[in-house]
Amino acid sequence: MSKELITTLQFRTLAEAGAIQYAAVRGTQGGYVLVVKVGMNERTLSMTQERRPRVFVTLDGLASVARRYGLRRLDLDLAGYEPRGLF
């Protein structure tokens, strides 16, 4: 996961400008994070008021946010995924 964070407002602005080169869903403990590449940097979508990554519990929730801001393609990397509990 990228250590650099991006706010929702920054994400929306960059997506609308077509500045996002690629977007990826990365598995993490308890869910998934959205990572985008802008220029030479990868950034992870952060919580609105907090300086920590936004963890989505479901892929559906993450995809909904990505689509709302204009992303139409996401790569999926489940290597770091660890479910919160038993299924």
Side-chain angles (χ1 to χ4, degrees):
M1 178 178 1
S2 170
K3 301 238 187 275
E4 290 189 52
L5 298 175
I6 186 170
T7 66
T8 304
L9 179 59
Q10 292 169 326
F11 172 66
R12 180 185 317 148
T13 302
L14 292 168
E16 288 173 354
I20 295 176
Q21 296 169 308
Y22 77 80
V25 177
R26 301 240 170 102
T28 189
Q29 185 171 3
Y32 311 92
V33 294
L34 177 61
V35 177
V36 295
K37 183 172 183 183
V38 179
M40 298 296 292
N41 300 315
E42 279 192 348
R43 295 179 174 202
T44 302
L45 186 63
S46 68
M47 300 291 289
T48 304
Q49 299 294 326
E50 301 174 31
R51 296 302 299 163
R52 62 185 175 101
R54 180 173 178 183
V55 177
F56 293 85
V57 177
T58 67
L59 288 172
D60 187 53
L62 189 148
S64 177
V65 168
R67 257 195 96 124
R68 185 177 322 139
Y69 297 120
L71 295 181
R72 297 292 180 250
R73 178 180 170 87
L74 297 169
D75 294 325
L76 178 61
D77 178 359
L78 294 174
Y81 176 70
E82 292 180 31
R84 284 189 175 191
L86 299 175
F87 294 100

